[in-house]
């Protein structure tokens, strides 16, 4: 699927419209309805994330190397759903930083060979759009901003998560988190050098991205501190 094709741009446009509409409404007229919307988004994330398992099982293509829900976007989706339901600060921080720092990048450079209206296409964009929408709704719409030290916390959690996924890759022969090779369709990782150097460069870039995403809130905290 070509980047900047209608199949790529339409889901991005839907995300922009939905995010802008919900966040603006929540800021201008907060109320019980925001909790209902948060619950609906959370349920939608869980359903779309879990829908992949019966699909691959029904097509007899399930494999531990390819089908486990342990990609950053998958786990980030479940974290975002939990954050929408329980509003715990650390969950909100992970949902925000992983949603905008990871899932959004996957949306901009999708590793996807399928086309509309196939199930893989719809599932990919539904899950990724919803995760980014959740991150924006939590932080902008509901005003649940990252706390001081959020970059350090989330970066440490991300490294620990990558270590666990690296072990899963070793056991299953998979390529979760693209720790063994870059996506076949290409991504920003393709510009970071050969394995294993792109992993180190990716970790450094992750830290920079987290700092950039935290910058508006760091400025706000410094003014109110």
């Amino acid at each position: 699927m070509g980047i900047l094709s209608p199949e790529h741009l339409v889901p991005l446009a839907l995300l922009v419209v939905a995010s802008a509409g919900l966040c603006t409404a929540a800021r201008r007229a907060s109320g019980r309805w925001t909790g209902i919307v948060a619950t609906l988004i959370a349920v939608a994330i869980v359903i779309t994330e879990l829908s992949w398992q019966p699909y691959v099982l029904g097509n007899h293509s399930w494999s531990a190397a390819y089908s486990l829900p342990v990609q950053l976007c998958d786990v980030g989706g479940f974290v975002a759903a939990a954050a929408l339901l329980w509003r715990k600060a650390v969950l909100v921080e992970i949902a925000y930083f992983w949603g905008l720092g990871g899932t959004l990048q996957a949306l901009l450079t999708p590793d996807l060979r399928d086309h509309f209206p196939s199930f893989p296409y719809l599932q990919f964009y539904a899950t990724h759009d919803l995760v980014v929408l959740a991150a924006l709704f939590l932080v902008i719409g509901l005003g649940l901003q990252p706390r001081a030290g959020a970059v350090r916390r989330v970066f440490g959690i991300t490294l620990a998560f990558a270590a666990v996924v690296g072990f899963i890759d070793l056991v299953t022969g998979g390529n979760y988190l693209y720790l063994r090779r870059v996506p076949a369709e290409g991504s920003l990782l393709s510009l970071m050098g050969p394995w294993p150097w792109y992993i180190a460069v990716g970790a450094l870039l992750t830290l920079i991205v987290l700092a950039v995403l935290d910058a508006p809130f760091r400025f706000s905290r410094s003014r109110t501190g």
Side-chain angles (χ1 to χ4, degrees), residues 1-20 103-110 121 124-125 128-129 132 136:
M1 182 184 64
I3 293 177
L4 302 183
S5 67
E7 287 182 316
H8 182 219
L9 293 177
V10 169
L12 294 180
L14 291 174
L15 171 62
V16 170
V17 171
S19 299
T103 304
L104 181 59
Q105 188 271 327
L107 272 173
L108 296 176
T109 58
Y121 171 92
F124 175 88
Y125 279 109
H128 287 68
D129 271 12
V132 175
L136 294 171

Side-chain angles (χ1 to χ4, degrees), residues 50-138:
L50 294 180
S51 67
W52 186 252
Q53 299 303 313
Y55 172 78
V56 291
L57 286 169
N59 284 277
H60 308 288
S61 57
W62 193 94
S63 167
Y66 298 101
S67 307
L68 296 176
V70 294
Q71 292 281 25
L72 183 74
C73 297
D74 297 321
V75 177
F78 292 119
V79 172
L84 287 165
L85 294 175
W86 293 296
R87 316 286 174 88
K88 299 295 184 182
V90 68
L91 296 177
V92 172
E93 290 167 352
I94 296 171
Y96 170 69
F97 288 113
W98 283 11
L100 297 192
T103 304
L104 181 59
Q105 188 271 327
L107 272 173
L108 296 176
T109 58
D111 180 23
L112 184 66
R113 300 180 182 87
D114 301 275
H115 298 274
F116 180 86
S118 68
F119 177 80
Y121 171 92
L122 295 174
Q123 197 266 352
F124 175 88
Y125 279 109
T127 54
H128 287 68
D129 271 12
L130 285 167
V131 170
V132 175
L133 174 62
L136 294 171
F137 188 66
L138 283 163

Side-chain angles (χ1 to χ4, degrees), residues 110-182:
D111 180 23
L112 184 66
R113 300 180 182 87
D114 301 275
H115 298 274
F116 180 86
S118 68
F119 177 80
Y121 171 92
L122 295 174
Q123 197 266 352
F124 175 88
Y125 279 109
T127 54
H128 287 68
D129 271 12
L130 285 167
V131 170
V132 175
L133 174 62
L136 294 171
F137 188 66
L138 283 163
V139 173
I140 299 177
L142 301 182
L144 302 173
Q145 299 183 359
R147 301 164 296 170
V151 170
R152 182 180 64 254
R153 280 190 297 275
V154 175
F155 185 65
I157 292 169
T158 304
L159 291 181
F161 175 66
V164 172
V165 174
F167 178 75
I168 294 173
D169 283 343
L170 183 65
V171 171
T172 65
N175 188 35
Y176 300 110
L177 286 190
Y178 304 112
L179 294 176
R180 301 179 68 188
R181 58 187 177 277
V182 299

